[in-house]
Amino acid sequence: MRRVVLYFPKMADPARGVAVSKDLLPLSLLAIAALPDREGREVVLIDGNLTSESEAQRRVVEACEGALLFGTTGILGYQVADAFRCSRRVKAAHPDLPLFVGGWFASAAPRLQLETGLYDAVCIGQGEETFADLVAAVEAGADLQEVAGLALLRDGELVRTAERPIVGYEDLPNCPWHLLDIEPYRAAQLRGRSAREVERMPTPPGFEGRPFFGISYVSSFGCPEPCTFCCSPGLTHRRWKHLPAARLLDDLCDVTERWGVDAVRFYDANWGVDERRSRAFSEGLIERGVDVAWYCLMQAGSIVRYAPQTLDAMRDSGLYVVGVGGETGDAAMMRAIGKHTPTDANEQATWELDRRGITAWVTYIIGYPHEEERSMMRTLEECRRIAARCVHARPTVWPYRPIPGSALYPAALELGYRPPSSLEEWGTIGEYHLDETWPGKIPAHVARARRLFEHLTTLKLGLPRGRIGWWERRAQRRLESGDLRGARLEAKAFDLYQRLTGGR
């Protein structure tokens, strides 16, 4: 059987002087490689994040010599552009080789991918079984229209094949970890993490000032939340499929022990939907004596619903950070975006984590289509209350980003949003907190208030100077009192102080 070549694109633009954290493994491609690998097929997986762009493309082109097909993926951001450029190189070197693309962005915008003329088909949504059938169809020379879960371009028209049902993990094998050479990921992390690294893994307890080795892991697919700003509801139909706790423990404990892992970042969209699984997993780690720190994403509604004993077990098993999608501090806006977070749940959930010594990274969004200024200010005020009360919490506010495939995307277009017209342009969209992709939707005074809030919360945590002193205690008092008179002048004074003292 001829080999299958998979390319995981760069997640950060090297031209901006940044690289992505090396704990982020190419999990999406490992997942779709599992079935072909189980059948005995050779799978070559190349991660563009480990080398220069030119070297990654050279390796891919070389691996594609005599291959059956080439596949790539990508989420909104630089991966979209890097996948396109690599595919263009492959097509130029191997014009008869079938090329395919999948992932969140391609699933939401298949026509844009197909109109490049590079790809034979787009895999839509969950890709494991679709990709396995696709490999079989290419090898047999069968019509791709017989493969469910694809988007094709026929005579200029977008054609979707039969919808592919979402399957549970009982139908899927574990990730084929043997396809990865883990040493480059380990070596890069143990050399130390750069301040220019994006998506940086939070430092686990006990590793302050020294390197550690972490990996990412996915234990579920989908999310039951109907959030209108996200493309997941349209692609997953709000289904949530998960690895049972026992199977998750067996696989993860084997990997962490074999590789000597210090920390695990769960990359699930919504890790904590099922409290029974969360508790069984946590208690299982404790019973097995596994010493590993872990980090996951959860909803505030889940956290406040959990029994205290479950949260205690999660903490005792090594949970040290939880990413919480706060989304908004305005009740009417929460209803408008369709999220099921109860009133005050964001603050209550953050407090429950904080009093257990768990850091809550709470992310909010302002500037939704039709959102009023007072709604944005309520969000900032909720963030201030969290920052004032919770020692460990890191609430942050991002500008709204229109995402193709989300329910709010048409409204953004109607209100004047002009999306990029090419894959390379879509690839210029970077980190939420670094780029405002729809300028002018946040009033100037709200934008100033947001910047001031971010300054105060960062300062009170001691991040700019690496310690707590007069400036940091002053920021804490500002957040506690809500009195921001003169705070902008203080922020300018702190900036001057930093430059004069060299950040000491």
Side-chain angles (χ1 to χ4, degrees):
M1 293 187 289
R2 287 186 290 165
R3 82 178 69 89
V4 166
V5 179
L6 299 175
Y7 177 62
F8 191 68
K10 284 185 175 296
M11 300 180 73
D13 185 357
R16 299 179 71 161
V18 295
V20 76
S21 177
K22 295 303 183 290
D23 71 282
L24 294 176
L25 307 180
L27 299 174
S28 57
L29 296 187
L30 280 172
I32 67 167
L35 289 171
D37 175 75
R38 188 173 68 178
E39 294 168 359
R41 184 176 298 279
E42 180 188 2
V43 179
V44 177
L45 199 165
I46 297 167
D47 187 348
N49 296 285
L50 296 178
T51 65
S52 67
E53 192 167 309
S54 59
E55 174 60 15
Q57 292 179 6
R58 185 198 67 77
R59 294 183 186 183
V60 170
V61 169
E62 182 180 279
C64 284
E65 183 67 43
L68 177 67
L69 61 83
F70 166 81
T72 189
T73 186
I75 57 173
L76 179 60
Y78 191 70
Q79 279 199 316
V80 175
D82 190 49
F84 167 73
R85 292 179 191 131
C86 186
S87 299
R88 189 169 55 188
R89 282 282 305 275
V90 170
K91 181 62 76 173
H94 307 286
D96 297 326
L97 182 70
L99 272 64
F100 302 95
V101 64
W104 288 105
F105 184 81
S107 295
R111 176 179 286 276
L112 194 61
Q113 301 280 355
L114 293 168
E115 287 181 341
T116 64
L118 294 173
Y119 303 109
D120 294 74
V122 171
C123 293
I124 303 294
Q126 188 183 34
E128 287 92 333
E129 291 195 337
T130 301
F131 187 68
D133 289 352
L134 184 61
V135 170
V138 172
E139 186 156 64
D143 186 351
L144 294 182
Q145 288 193 233
E146 300 302 314
V147 178
L150 298 180
L152 312 167
L153 205 60
R154 295 290 183 264
D155 299 321
E157 296 297 322
L158 186 69
V159 175
R160 293 179 182 267
T161 64
E163 187 171 346
R164 170 90 52 179
I166 293 171
V167 299
Y169 281 84
E170 65 274 9
D171 298 317
L172 302 172
N174 291 343
C175 277
W177 301 110
H178 61 274
L179 295 181
L180 273 189
D181 177 6
I182 200 63
E183 286 311 311
Y185 299 93
R186 187 205 318 271
Q189 294 179 65
L190 295 183
R191 285 196 298 267
R193 285 163 166 77
S194 166
R196 298 289 294 167
E197 196 174 72
V198 298
E199 299 265 356
R200 211 167 42 235
M201 191 178 209
T203 301
F207 285 89
E208 294 81 2
R210 62 191 182 99
F212 62 93
F213 172 46
I215 63 168
S216 52
Y217 190 102
V218 169
S219 69
S220 65
F221 174 82
C223 175
E225 289 288 342
C227 305
T228 57
F229 57 85
C230 179
C231 66
S232 177
L235 295 176
T236 68
H237 308 297
R238 296 174 58 192
R239 304 291 299 278
W240 186 72
K241 301 292 187 179
H242 63 278
L243 279 170
R247 181 175 162 191
L248 168 58
L249 282 163
D250 287 344
D251 185 51
L252 185 61
C253 291
D254 173 66
V255 169
T256 55
E257 181 180 357
R258 181 154 37 94
W259 288 347
V261 174
D262 300 310
V264 174
R265 182 203 310 233
F266 282 102
Y267 224 52
D268 305 43
N270 191 348
W271 188 87
V273 174
D274 185 346
E275 181 180 358
R276 291 171 299 178
R277 186 183 86 128
S278 302
R279 187 163 180 173
F281 170 74
S282 302
E283 292 176 345
L285 285 179
I286 296 169
E287 290 168 4
R288 296 182 187 211
V290 177
D291 184 17
V292 65
W294 57 285
Y295 157 32
C296 69
L297 303 178
M298 292 182 65
Q299 299 301 316
S302 298
I303 297 168
V304 299
R305 188 185 70 243
Y306 275 21
Q309 296 86 346
T310 301
L311 295 175
D312 291 345
M314 293 169 71
R315 173 203 58 205
D316 296 343
S317 69
L319 178 64
Y320 73 111
V321 173
V322 175
V324 180
E327 320 311 358
T328 179
D330 181 74
M333 198 68 236
M334 192 72 80
R335 291 191 295 271
I337 62 175
K339 193 157 186 177
H340 297 143
T341 302
T343 303
D344 301 329
N346 288 331
E347 295 182 66
Q348 183 183 347
T350 306
W351 173 244
E352 290 295 336
L353 296 173
D354 198 75
R355 69 190 190 90
R356 290 174 169 84
I358 301 169
T359 297
W361 282 11
V362 195
T363 55
Y364 290 84
I365 298 171
I366 58 174
Y368 292 106
H370 304 294
E371 184 176 18
E372 298 179 352
E373 293 181 20
R374 60 183 178 181
S375 170
M376 301 182 206
M377 293 305 293
R378 284 173 184 151
T379 293
L380 290 172
E381 176 58 18
E382 180 168 296
C383 288
R384 183 198 65 77
R385 292 195 300 269
I386 288 175
R389 184 186 188 192
C390 299
V391 176
H392 307 286
R394 298 189 182 185
T396 188
V397 184
W398 295 340
Y400 167 74
R401 170 177 294 174
I403 296 177
S406 65
L408 276 182
Y409 191 67
L413 296 177
E414 290 175 7
L415 290 172
Y417 173 65
R418 294 292 176 262
S421 58
S422 70
L423 295 179
E424 288 194 287
E425 288 178 9
W426 276 107
T428 63
I429 295 176
E431 295 291 292
Y432 269 99
H433 65 285
L434 297 178
D435 297 300
E436 187 175 349
T437 56
W438 193 9
K441 298 306 295 180
I442 300 175
H445 76 280
V446 176
R448 288 193 296 270
R450 172 188 173 238
R451 289 193 297 270
L452 181 59
F453 166 77
E454 297 286 356
H455 164 76
L456 290 172
T457 52
T458 301
L459 186 54
K460 80 110 178 182
L461 290 167
L463 299 181
R465 298 197 302 163
R467 62 187 177 91
I468 301 296
W470 184 89
W471 289 103
E472 291 75 18
R473 288 189 290 271
R474 178 64 174 167
Q476 176 67 34
R477 288 194 296 271
R478 287 281 192 188
L479 290 166
E480 289 173 353
S481 68
D483 183 0
L484 302 181
R485 291 173 296 180
R488 289 192 182 88
L489 184 60
E490 279 184 12
K492 292 179 180 178
F494 177 75
D495 180 64
L496 178 61
Y497 172 83
Q498 285 285 85
R499 285 188 278 120
L500 291 175
T501 63
R504 294 190 298 274

